[in-house]
Amino acid sequence: MADPVYIQIVEDIKKKVNNAELRPGDTVPPENALCKEYGVSRMTVRKGLAILASEGYIYSVPGKGSYVQKPEVNKYTLHYDEMNNPINSVDNARLLEVTIIMPDEKLADELRITRNKHVILIRRVFYTDGVPVAYDVKYLLYSKGMPIVEKEIEQATFQEMVSNGLPNFALKKKLSISAQIPNEETKRYLNIYDEHALLVVEQKLYNNENKPIGIGITSYRGDYIKLQASSD
Amino acid sequence: MADPVYIQIVEDIKKKVNNAELRPGDTVPPENALCKEYGVSRMTVRKGLAILASEGYIYSVPGKGSYVQKPEVNKYTLHYDEMNNPINSVDNARLLEVTIIMPDEKLADELRITRNKHVILIRRVFYTDGVPVAYDVKYLLYSKGMPIVEKEIEQATFQEMVSNGLPNFALKKKLSISAQIPNEETKRYLNIYDEHALLVVEQKLYNNENKPIGIGITSYRGDYIKLQASSD
DNA sequence: CAGTGGTCTAGACCACAGC
DNA sequence: CTGTGGTCTAGACCACTGC
């Protein structure tokens, strides 16, 4: 019980929200009322409310008051690492190809470039215990500092290819996850002979100006990957 | 440029982190130094630093200082709604079965109950434009206030079944996403005759004491669903 | 107009790191 | 010991809302 006062305030209000004592849309008591209730100054109350707001419990409207927020029921946190997932890890990668290509219309469009710009194409197969578990294709816009040594490319994640070891808070990434039946080429690379499902993860990377800088498509054998996400 | 001072501080430091002027592990200037630099009081500086900390840019160690945090490169935000996804929405659902069962060993284990407890089994098929797009199975521990009217169950999401319209910040959920080949039963429900991949989403719900209260397995036709996630 | 939240000050005391 | 971050105060002025 050595918690600072503002934590007390946070937890009291959370509790009230969680037993429906306060419902979405209800007003939270005004700051001055909470000051009196807890016998503290306004800055202390505001610190508590700021935390509740940052955690999505409440929101404030200047001149009016603070209100209980509707919980975001559909939001999850997903941890995705190309080379590691909860049921399996890639322990080796083989570089099939790294070449400079001219993009076709679809690719140029996705990368928002003209068709006369050069794009780096990288194709790899990922292995676990010698078994091919994923086929990986990446299209990258070239920029300075990128790895040019094939051995580096071979074992690098998408993030590592473009950020080159530098910290990068600015890099934005989008994932698109789907299930597909492998085409003949993919079947060949993954030694698939019978019916099989692929978990396909498409990654798109954007720089801090929101311009696409790379697209990656990783097709995992369905029995070798499981993605996990959780609320909170 | 009418931004409050603390926003200025936040953006200045973000900028320094993003051009590697400040690197992960580096110390952020001490609060008193920032007070002088910006000509403001300490509380104002601290407000800025609190924001940077809540956004994962920095962390503070009492008695020592504030440090630049390593970015969490593998974290994404996923929006998952059983009935709605970026490329398709469920517009109808058919209830196949709702019964009380005794769990087998595996299910009892997953729900952390003994095998003599009753479990509600719900099986449904989801439709879009009259086409069956997903086969859905749920196992629920019964609790008061749950919908018992079949018509309600038919169209409800998992969240709605257990939370019954009440706000629920306390409910924790975990997702497990994989690609699978449909079994004969699923093929029948989804009218699948040829080779097809399923995107299978397993949901597990926990109450605020972290006890499982339900498991749901939704198997979507691979060509009817795409999950999307993004960093930031 | 009174009540609300948003910003900010200029102090204070504390616990903790490191010398 | 000094310097650091963590908590807190008792005010202040502002802009906005709703009556």
Side-chain angles (χ1 to χ4, degrees):
Chain A
M1 282 304 165
D3 276 348
V5 185
Y6 69 87
I7 295 289
Q8 274 301 322
I9 298 175
V10 167
E11 292 184 345
D12 285 356
I13 293 181
K14 276 190 184 178
K15 203 173 295 174
K16 284 180 185 166
V17 171
N18 283 331
N19 19 299
E21 211 173 312
L22 282 172
R23 289 152 162 278
D26 286 359
T27 69
V28 176
E31 294 173 358
N32 283 317
L34 292 172
C35 290
K36 282 180 192 162
E37 187 181 335
Y38 289 91
V40 294
S41 81
R42 202 173 142 226
M43 286 306 276
T44 302
V45 166
R46 281 182 63 72
K47 177 144 189 172
L49 296 183
I51 290 171
L52 288 165
S54 78
E55 292 184 1
Y57 277 79
I58 66 171
Y59 64 95
S60 299
V61 182
K64 299 187 74 178
S66 294
Y67 303 88
V68 177
Q69 180 80 278
K70 277 197 294 291
E72 274 230 53
V73 294
N74 296 327
K75 231 174 81 179
Y76 298 84
T77 299
L78 170 73
H79 289 268
Y80 171 67
D81 178 335
E82 274 169 77
M83 306 281 197
N84 291 290
N85 80 81
I87 60 167
N88 183 54
S89 283
V90 170
D91 55 29
N92 200 9
R94 183 165 61 96
L95 190 60
L96 299 173
E97 177 184 12
V98 45
T99 35
I100 307 267
I101 61 163
M102 303 290 267
D104 61 18
E105 195 163 352
K106 185 167 164 288
L107 181 61
D109 194 52
E110 284 208 79
L111 289 171
R112 272 187 264 149
I113 53 171
T114 52
R115 290 190 56 188
N116 55 4
K117 289 277 197 307
H118 295 282
V119 173
I120 302 170
L121 165 65
I122 297 165
R123 295 193 304 121
R124 298 182 292 177
V125 175
F126 295 155
Y127 293 86
T128 296
D129 295 330
V131 179
V133 295
Y135 174 55
D136 180 65
V137 181
K138 300 208 189 301
Y139 302 96
L140 285 180
L141 300 187
Y142 183 77
S143 75
K144 281 166 208 155
M146 267 187 185
I148 42 167
V149 182
E150 295 204 348
K151 269 294 160 206
E152 280 182 44
I153 295 173
E154 194 156 67
Q155 307 291 336
T157 64
F158 209 0
Q159 169 90 27
E160 289 160 354
M161 288 179 193
V162 301
S163 69
N164 211 29
L166 287 173
N168 210 329
F169 284 89
L171 192 68
K172 284 187 188 110
K173 295 181 281 183
K174 286 188 182 170
L175 299 185
S176 180
I177 301 156
S178 61
Q180 294 176 25
I181 289 295
N183 60 23
E184 287 309 315
E185 188 192 16
T186 309
K187 277 187 172 178
R188 211 161 47 238
Y189 287 122
L190 299 182
N191 288 351
I192 294 174
Y193 301 108
D194 50 357
E195 220 181 337
H196 239 288
L198 298 179
L199 190 73
V200 179
V201 179
E202 187 185 313
Q203 284 187 83
K204 214 162 165 182
L205 305 194
Y206 300 83
N207 66 11
N208 50 12
E209 284 132 12
N210 250 313
K211 285 187 58 177
I213 55 176
I215 294 175
I217 296 142
T218 313
S219 304
Y220 299 89
R221 284 178 60 134
D223 46 356
Y224 271 86
I225 189 174
K226 192 167 265 189
L227 299 179
Q228 293 191 331
S230 60
S231 61
D232 290 358
Chain B
M1 283 306 165
D3 275 349
V5 185
Y6 68 88
I7 296 288
Q8 274 301 323
I9 298 174
V10 167
E11 292 184 344
D12 285 356
I13 292 181
K14 276 190 184 178
K15 202 173 296 174
K16 283 181 186 167
V17 171
N18 284 331
N19 14 299
E21 212 174 313
L22 283 172
R23 288 152 164 279
D26 286 359
T27 68
V28 176
E31 295 173 357
N32 283 317
L34 292 171
C35 289
K36 282 181 194 161
E37 185 180 336
Y38 289 90
V40 295
S41 81
R42 203 174 140 222
M43 286 306 275
T44 302
V45 166
R46 281 182 63 72
K47 176 143 188 174
L49 297 182
I51 291 171
L52 287 165
S54 78
E55 292 183 2
Y57 277 80
I58 66 171
Y59 65 96
S60 299
V61 181
K64 298 187 73 178
S66 294
Y67 302 87
V68 178
Q69 180 80 276
K70 277 198 295 290
E72 275 231 53
V73 294
N74 295 325
K75 230 174 83 179
Y76 298 84
T77 299
L78 170 74
H79 289 268
Y80 170 66
D81 179 334
E82 275 169 77
M83 306 281 196
N84 290 290
N85 80 80
I87 60 167
N88 182 55
S89 283
V90 170
D91 56 30
N92 200 10
R94 183 164 61 96
L95 190 59
L96 299 172
E97 178 184 13
V98 46
T99 36
I100 307 263
I101 61 163
M102 304 290 266
D104 61 18
E105 196 164 351
K106 182 167 165 288
L107 181 61
D109 194 52
E110 285 208 78
L111 289 170
R112 271 187 264 150
I113 54 170
T114 53
R115 289 192 55 187
N116 55 5
K117 290 277 196 308
H118 295 280
V119 173
I120 302 170
L121 165 66
I122 297 165
R123 295 194 304 122
R124 298 182 294 179
V125 175
F126 295 155
Y127 293 86
T128 296
D129 296 329
V131 179
V133 295
Y135 174 55
D136 181 66
V137 181
K138 299 207 189 303
Y139 302 95
L140 286 180
L141 300 187
Y142 182 78
S143 75
K144 280 166 207 152
M146 267 187 186
I148 42 166
V149 182
E150 295 203 349
K151 269 294 159 207
E152 280 182 45
I153 295 173
E154 195 156 67
Q155 308 292 336
T157 64
F158 208 1
Q159 168 91 28
E160 288 160 356
M161 288 179 191
V162 302
S163 70
N164 211 29
L166 288 174
N168 210 329
F169 285 88
L171 192 68
K172 283 187 189 110
K173 296 181 280 184
K174 287 188 183 169
L175 300 185
S176 179
I177 301 157
S178 61
Q180 293 175 26
I181 288 296
N183 60 23
E184 287 308 315
E185 188 191 17
T186 309
K187 276 186 171 178
R188 211 162 47 240
Y189 287 121
L190 298 182
N191 289 351
I192 293 174
Y193 301 109
D194 49 358
E195 219 182 338
H196 239 289
L198 297 179
L199 190 75
V200 179
V201 179
E202 187 184 314
Q203 285 185 83
K204 213 161 166 183
L205 305 192
Y206 300 82
N207 66 12
N208 49 13
E209 284 133 9
N210 249 314
K211 285 186 57 175
I213 55 176
I215 294 174
I217 296 142
T218 314
S219 305
Y220 299 89
R221 284 178 59 134
D223 46 355
Y224 271 85
I225 189 174
K226 192 167 265 189
L227 299 179
Q228 293 190 332
S230 59
S231 61
D232 293 359

PDB file of all heavy atoms in Angstrom, chain A residues 21-46:
ATOM      1  N   GLU A  21     -19.628  -0.013 -12.551  1.00  0.00           N
ATOM      2  CA  GLU A  21     -20.061   1.096 -11.713  1.00  0.00           C
ATOM      3  C   GLU A  21     -19.965   2.383 -12.552  1.00  0.00           C
ATOM      4  O   GLU A  21     -20.751   3.309 -12.397  1.00  0.00           O
ATOM      5  CB  GLU A  21     -19.148   1.184 -10.488  1.00  0.00           C
ATOM      6  CG  GLU A  21     -19.803   1.699  -9.232  1.00  0.00           C
ATOM      7  CD  GLU A  21     -18.835   1.582  -8.065  1.00  0.00           C
ATOM      8  OE1 GLU A  21     -18.222   0.495  -7.900  1.00  0.00           O
ATOM      9  OE2 GLU A  21     -18.669   2.556  -7.339  1.00  0.00           O
ATOM     10  N   LEU A  22     -18.979   2.386 -13.405  1.00  0.00           N
ATOM     11  CA  LEU A  22     -18.857   3.431 -14.421  1.00  0.00           C
ATOM     12  C   LEU A  22     -18.952   2.747 -15.776  1.00  0.00           C
ATOM     13  O   LEU A  22     -18.221   1.803 -16.048  1.00  0.00           O
ATOM     14  CB  LEU A  22     -17.502   4.151 -14.303  1.00  0.00           C
ATOM     15  CG  LEU A  22     -17.348   5.179 -13.197  1.00  0.00           C
ATOM     16  CD1 LEU A  22     -15.903   5.651 -13.093  1.00  0.00           C
ATOM     17  CD2 LEU A  22     -18.268   6.369 -13.445  1.00  0.00           C
ATOM     18  N   ARG A  23     -19.863   3.236 -16.601  1.00  0.00           N
ATOM     19  CA  ARG A  23     -20.037   2.604 -17.901  1.00  0.00           C
ATOM     20  C   ARG A  23     -19.569   3.531 -19.014  1.00  0.00           C
ATOM     21  O   ARG A  23     -19.517   4.734 -18.831  1.00  0.00           O
ATOM     22  CB  ARG A  23     -21.514   2.276 -18.122  1.00  0.00           C
ATOM     23  CG  ARG A  23     -22.010   1.138 -17.257  1.00  0.00           C
ATOM     24  CD  ARG A  23     -23.505   1.278 -16.981  1.00  0.00           C
ATOM     25  NE  ARG A  23     -24.062   0.003 -16.537  1.00  0.00           N
ATOM     26  CZ  ARG A  23     -24.417  -0.969 -17.362  1.00  0.00           C
ATOM     27  NH1 ARG A  23     -24.289  -0.814 -18.670  1.00  0.00           N
ATOM     28  NH2 ARG A  23     -24.926  -2.094 -16.888  1.00  0.00           N
ATOM     29  N   PRO A  24     -19.234   2.947 -20.180  1.00  0.00           N
ATOM     30  CA  PRO A  24     -18.791   3.773 -21.304  1.00  0.00           C
ATOM     31  C   PRO A  24     -19.755   4.939 -21.539  1.00  0.00           C
ATOM     32  O   PRO A  24     -20.972   4.744 -21.581  1.00  0.00           O
ATOM     33  CB  PRO A  24     -18.810   2.804 -22.475  1.00  0.00           C
ATOM     34  CG  PRO A  24     -18.516   1.490 -21.843  1.00  0.00           C
ATOM     35  CD  PRO A  24     -19.197   1.530 -20.502  1.00  0.00           C
ATOM     36  N   GLY A  25     -19.212   6.124 -21.668  1.00  0.00           N
ATOM     37  CA  GLY A  25     -20.043   7.299 -21.878  1.00  0.00           C
ATOM     38  C   GLY A  25     -20.284   8.084 -20.608  1.00  0.00           C
ATOM     39  O   GLY A  25     -20.568   9.277 -20.649  1.00  0.00           O
ATOM     40  N   ASP A  26     -20.209   7.402 -19.460  1.00  0.00           N
ATOM     41  CA  ASP A  26     -20.392   8.097 -18.179  1.00  0.00           C
ATOM     42  C   ASP A  26     -19.289   9.126 -17.981  1.00  0.00           C
ATOM     43  O   ASP A  26     -18.183   8.976 -18.491  1.00  0.00           O
ATOM     44  CB  ASP A  26     -20.326   7.101 -17.004  1.00  0.00           C
ATOM     45  CG  ASP A  26     -21.578   6.241 -16.914  1.00  0.00           C
ATOM     46  OD1 ASP A  26     -22.479   6.438 -17.746  1.00  0.00           O
ATOM     47  OD2 ASP A  26     -21.636   5.378 -16.030  1.00  0.00           O
ATOM     48  N   THR A  27     -19.605  10.155 -17.199  1.00  0.00           N
ATOM     49  CA  THR A  27     -18.563  11.126 -16.890  1.00  0.00           C
ATOM     50  C   THR A  27     -17.788  10.681 -15.663  1.00  0.00           C
ATOM     51  O   THR A  27     -18.359  10.188 -14.694  1.00  0.00           O
ATOM     52  CB  THR A  27     -19.143  12.529 -16.603  1.00  0.00           C
ATOM     53  OG1 THR A  27     -19.850  12.492 -15.361  1.00  0.00           O
ATOM     54  CG2 THR A  27     -20.083  12.976 -17.703  1.00  0.00           C
ATOM     55  N   VAL A  28     -16.488  10.858 -15.736  1.00  0.00           N
ATOM     56  CA  VAL A  28     -15.634  10.671 -14.578  1.00  0.00           C
ATOM     57  C   VAL A  28     -15.806  11.922 -13.718  1.00  0.00           C
ATOM     58  O   VAL A  28     -16.001  13.005 -14.265  1.00  0.00           O
ATOM     59  CB  VAL A  28     -14.169  10.522 -15.052  1.00  0.00           C
ATOM     60  CG1 VAL A  28     -13.211  10.418 -13.873  1.00  0.00           C
ATOM     61  CG2 VAL A  28     -14.031   9.332 -15.975  1.00  0.00           C
ATOM     62  N   PRO A  29     -15.760  11.797 -12.373  1.00  0.00           N
ATOM     63  CA  PRO A  29     -15.885  13.002 -11.536  1.00  0.00           C
ATOM     64  C   PRO A  29     -14.871  14.058 -11.971  1.00  0.00           C
ATOM     65  O   PRO A  29     -13.743  13.715 -12.323  1.00  0.00           O
ATOM     66  CB  PRO A  29     -15.559  12.485 -10.130  1.00  0.00           C
ATOM     67  CG  PRO A  29     -15.886  11.039 -10.158  1.00  0.00           C
ATOM     68  CD  PRO A  29     -15.645  10.572 -11.565  1.00  0.00           C
ATOM     69  N   PRO A  30     -15.257  15.321 -11.947  1.00  0.00           N
ATOM     70  CA  PRO A  30     -14.341  16.379 -12.371  1.00  0.00           C
ATOM     71  C   PRO A  30     -13.090  16.420 -11.505  1.00  0.00           C
ATOM     72  O   PRO A  30     -13.107  15.975 -10.356  1.00  0.00           O
ATOM     73  CB  PRO A  30     -15.161  17.655 -12.214  1.00  0.00           C
ATOM     74  CG  PRO A  30     -16.379  17.286 -11.471  1.00  0.00           C
ATOM     75  CD  PRO A  30     -16.592  15.831 -11.639  1.00  0.00           C
ATOM     76  N   GLU A  31     -12.039  16.968 -12.045  1.00  0.00           N
ATOM     77  CA  GLU A  31     -10.740  16.959 -11.367  1.00  0.00           C
ATOM     78  C   GLU A  31     -10.812  17.571  -9.970  1.00  0.00           C
ATOM     79  O   GLU A  31     -10.236  17.018  -9.029  1.00  0.00           O
ATOM     80  CB  GLU A  31      -9.714  17.698 -12.226  1.00  0.00           C
ATOM     81  CG  GLU A  31      -9.450  16.970 -13.527  1.00  0.00           C
ATOM     82  CD  GLU A  31      -8.563  17.766 -14.476  1.00  0.00           C
ATOM     83  OE1 GLU A  31      -8.191  18.896 -14.136  1.00  0.00           O
ATOM     84  OE2 GLU A  31      -8.247  17.232 -15.545  1.00  0.00           O
ATOM     85  N   ASN A  32     -11.520  18.678  -9.852  1.00  0.00           N
ATOM     86  CA  ASN A  32     -11.598  19.311  -8.534  1.00  0.00           C
ATOM     87  C   ASN A  32     -12.300  18.426  -7.512  1.00  0.00           C
ATOM     88  O   ASN A  32     -11.920  18.416  -6.332  1.00  0.00           O
ATOM     89  CB  ASN A  32     -12.317  20.659  -8.637  1.00  0.00           C
ATOM     90  CG  ASN A  32     -11.402  21.720  -9.210  1.00  0.00           C
ATOM     91  OD1 ASN A  32     -10.234  21.800  -8.836  1.00  0.00           O
ATOM     92  ND2 ASN A  32     -11.911  22.502 -10.150  1.00  0.00           N
ATOM     93  N   ALA A  33     -13.299  17.682  -7.966  1.00  0.00           N
ATOM     94  CA  ALA A  33     -13.986  16.768  -7.052  1.00  0.00           C
ATOM     95  C   ALA A  33     -13.023  15.681  -6.581  1.00  0.00           C
ATOM     96  O   ALA A  33     -13.001  15.322  -5.395  1.00  0.00           O
ATOM     97  CB  ALA A  33     -15.201  16.153  -7.756  1.00  0.00           C
ATOM     98  N   LEU A  34     -12.222  15.154  -7.510  1.00  0.00           N
ATOM     99  CA  LEU A  34     -11.257  14.118  -7.133  1.00  0.00           C
ATOM    100  C   LEU A  34     -10.186  14.680  -6.206  1.00  0.00           C
ATOM    101  O   LEU A  34      -9.714  13.990  -5.304  1.00  0.00           O
ATOM    102  CB  LEU A  34     -10.620  13.513  -8.397  1.00  0.00           C
ATOM    103  CG  LEU A  34     -11.579  12.688  -9.270  1.00  0.00           C
ATOM    104  CD1 LEU A  34     -10.919  12.307 -10.589  1.00  0.00           C
ATOM    105  CD2 LEU A  34     -12.041  11.425  -8.544  1.00  0.00           C
ATOM    106  N   CYS A  35      -9.809  15.935  -6.431  1.00  0.00           N
ATOM    107  CA  CYS A  35      -8.847  16.584  -5.523  1.00  0.00           C
ATOM    108  C   CYS A  35      -9.357  16.519  -4.095  1.00  0.00           C
ATOM    109  O   CYS A  35      -8.643  16.125  -3.170  1.00  0.00           O
ATOM    110  CB  CYS A  35      -8.647  18.051  -5.909  1.00  0.00           C
ATOM    111  SG  CYS A  35      -7.774  18.296  -7.451  1.00  0.00           S
ATOM    112  N   LYS A  36     -10.622  16.912  -3.921  1.00  0.00           N
ATOM    113  CA  LYS A  36     -11.194  16.889  -2.581  1.00  0.00           C
ATOM    114  C   LYS A  36     -11.291  15.458  -2.067  1.00  0.00           C
ATOM    115  O   LYS A  36     -10.917  15.166  -0.941  1.00  0.00           O
ATOM    116  CB  LYS A  36     -12.591  17.535  -2.589  1.00  0.00           C
ATOM    117  CG  LYS A  36     -12.534  19.059  -2.617  1.00  0.00           C
ATOM    118  CD  LYS A  36     -13.943  19.647  -2.613  1.00  0.00           C
ATOM    119  CE  LYS A  36     -13.889  21.142  -2.942  1.00  0.00           C
ATOM    120  NZ  LYS A  36     -15.200  21.655  -3.375  1.00  0.00           N
ATOM    121  N   GLU A  37     -11.798  14.559  -2.919  1.00  0.00           N
ATOM    122  CA  GLU A  37     -12.009  13.175  -2.502  1.00  0.00           C
ATOM    123  C   GLU A  37     -10.723  12.551  -1.973  1.00  0.00           C
ATOM    124  O   GLU A  37     -10.732  11.846  -0.969  1.00  0.00           O
ATOM    125  CB  GLU A  37     -12.549  12.363  -3.689  1.00  0.00           C
ATOM    126  CG  GLU A  37     -12.952  10.947  -3.319  1.00  0.00           C
ATOM    127  CD  GLU A  37     -13.465  10.176  -4.531  1.00  0.00           C
ATOM    128  OE1 GLU A  37     -13.941  10.829  -5.494  1.00  0.00           O
ATOM    129  OE2 GLU A  37     -13.381   8.935  -4.526  1.00  0.00           O
ATOM    130  N   TYR A  38      -9.613  12.784  -2.671  1.00  0.00           N
ATOM    131  CA  TYR A  38      -8.358  12.154  -2.259  1.00  0.00           C
ATOM    132  C   TYR A  38      -7.494  13.086  -1.425  1.00  0.00           C
ATOM    133  O   TYR A  38      -6.436  12.685  -0.939  1.00  0.00           O
ATOM    134  CB  TYR A  38      -7.582  11.677  -3.497  1.00  0.00           C
ATOM    135  CG  TYR A  38      -8.224  10.480  -4.167  1.00  0.00           C
ATOM    136  CD1 TYR A  38      -9.166  10.643  -5.184  1.00  0.00           C
ATOM    137  CD2 TYR A  38      -7.894   9.181  -3.773  1.00  0.00           C
ATOM    138  CE1 TYR A  38      -9.755   9.553  -5.794  1.00  0.00           C
ATOM    139  CE2 TYR A  38      -8.476   8.078  -4.384  1.00  0.00           C
ATOM    140  CZ  TYR A  38      -9.402   8.280  -5.395  1.00  0.00           C
ATOM    141  OH  TYR A  38      -9.982   7.199  -5.993  1.00  0.00           O
ATOM    142  N   GLY A  39      -7.928  14.356  -1.276  1.00  0.00           N
ATOM    143  CA  GLY A  39      -7.143  15.300  -0.495  1.00  0.00           C
ATOM    144  C   GLY A  39      -5.784  15.609  -1.096  1.00  0.00           C
ATOM    145  O   GLY A  39      -4.787  15.723  -0.381  1.00  0.00           O
ATOM    146  N   VAL A  40      -5.741  15.684  -2.428  1.00  0.00           N
ATOM    147  CA  VAL A  40      -4.465  15.966  -3.088  1.00  0.00           C
ATOM    148  C   VAL A  40      -4.623  17.148  -4.047  1.00  0.00           C
ATOM    149  O   VAL A  40      -5.729  17.620  -4.277  1.00  0.00           O
ATOM    150  CB  VAL A  40      -3.962  14.736  -3.889  1.00  0.00           C
ATOM    151  CG1 VAL A  40      -3.629  13.582  -2.961  1.00  0.00           C
ATOM    152  CG2 VAL A  40      -4.984  14.331  -4.946  1.00  0.00           C
ATOM    153  N   SER A  41      -3.516  17.578  -4.574  1.00  0.00           N
ATOM    154  CA  SER A  41      -3.575  18.729  -5.475  1.00  0.00           C
ATOM    155  C   SER A  41      -4.009  18.289  -6.870  1.00  0.00           C
ATOM    156  O   SER A  41      -4.022  17.096  -7.195  1.00  0.00           O
ATOM    157  CB  SER A  41      -2.222  19.412  -5.558  1.00  0.00           C
ATOM    158  OG  SER A  41      -1.390  18.726  -6.453  1.00  0.00           O
ATOM    159  N   ARG A  42      -4.327  19.270  -7.678  1.00  0.00           N
ATOM    160  CA  ARG A  42      -4.900  18.933  -8.978  1.00  0.00           C
ATOM    161  C   ARG A  42      -3.898  18.217  -9.872  1.00  0.00           C
ATOM    162  O   ARG A  42      -4.270  17.309 -10.630  1.00  0.00           O
ATOM    163  CB  ARG A  42      -5.383  20.218  -9.669  1.00  0.00           C
ATOM    164  CG  ARG A  42      -6.412  19.917 -10.714  1.00  0.00           C
ATOM    165  CD  ARG A  42      -7.036  21.178 -11.282  1.00  0.00           C
ATOM    166  NE  ARG A  42      -7.251  21.003 -12.693  1.00  0.00           N
ATOM    167  CZ  ARG A  42      -6.948  21.896 -13.613  1.00  0.00           C
ATOM    168  NH1 ARG A  42      -6.409  23.047 -13.260  1.00  0.00           N
ATOM    169  NH2 ARG A  42      -7.181  21.634 -14.876  1.00  0.00           N
ATOM    170  N   MET A  43      -2.630  18.585  -9.819  1.00  0.00           N
ATOM    171  CA  MET A  43      -1.634  17.939 -10.675  1.00  0.00           C
ATOM    172  C   MET A  43      -1.552  16.444 -10.403  1.00  0.00           C
ATOM    173  O   MET A  43      -1.309  15.642 -11.311  1.00  0.00           O
ATOM    174  CB  MET A  43      -0.259  18.588 -10.466  1.00  0.00           C
ATOM    175  CG  MET A  43      -0.124  19.970 -11.103  1.00  0.00           C
ATOM    176  SD  MET A  43      -0.535  19.979 -12.858  1.00  0.00           S
ATOM    177  CE  MET A  43       1.022  19.465 -13.591  1.00  0.00           C
ATOM    178  N   THR A  44      -1.734  16.058  -9.159  1.00  0.00           N
ATOM    179  CA  THR A  44      -1.687  14.641  -8.816  1.00  0.00           C
ATOM    180  C   THR A  44      -2.879  13.897  -9.419  1.00  0.00           C
ATOM    181  O   THR A  44      -2.734  12.813  -9.982  1.00  0.00           O
ATOM    182  CB  THR A  44      -1.673  14.475  -7.286  1.00  0.00           C
ATOM    183  OG1 THR A  44      -0.555  15.176  -6.765  1.00  0.00           O
ATOM    184  CG2 THR A  44      -1.581  13.023  -6.903  1.00  0.00           C
ATOM    185  N   VAL A  45      -4.044  14.513  -9.299  1.00  0.00           N
ATOM    186  CA  VAL A  45      -5.229  13.914  -9.916  1.00  0.00           C
ATOM    187  C   VAL A  45      -5.027  13.800 -11.426  1.00  0.00           C
ATOM    188  O   VAL A  45      -5.290  12.761 -12.026  1.00  0.00           O
ATOM    189  CB  VAL A  45      -6.483  14.757  -9.616  1.00  0.00           C
ATOM    190  CG1 VAL A  45      -7.636  14.351 -10.519  1.00  0.00           C
ATOM    191  CG2 VAL A  45      -6.874  14.606  -8.155  1.00  0.00           C
ATOM    192  N   ARG A  46      -4.524  14.877 -12.028  1.00  0.00           N
ATOM    193  CA  ARG A  46      -4.343  14.872 -13.476  1.00  0.00           C
ATOM    194  C   ARG A  46      -3.366  13.801 -13.922  1.00  0.00           C
ATOM    195  O   ARG A  46      -3.528  13.215 -14.995  1.00  0.00           O
ATOM    196  CB  ARG A  46      -3.875  16.246 -13.952  1.00  0.00           C
ATOM    197  CG  ARG A  46      -5.005  17.252 -14.040  1.00  0.00           C
ATOM    198  CD  ARG A  46      -4.521  18.591 -14.558  1.00  0.00           C
ATOM    199  NE  ARG A  46      -4.006  18.502 -15.916  1.00  0.00           N
ATOM    200  CZ  ARG A  46      -4.758  18.328 -16.988  1.00  0.00           C
ATOM    201  NH1 ARG A  46      -6.061  18.234 -16.867  1.00  0.00           N
ATOM    202  NH2 ARG A  46      -4.221  18.242 -18.184  1.00  0.00           N
TER     203      ARG A  46
END
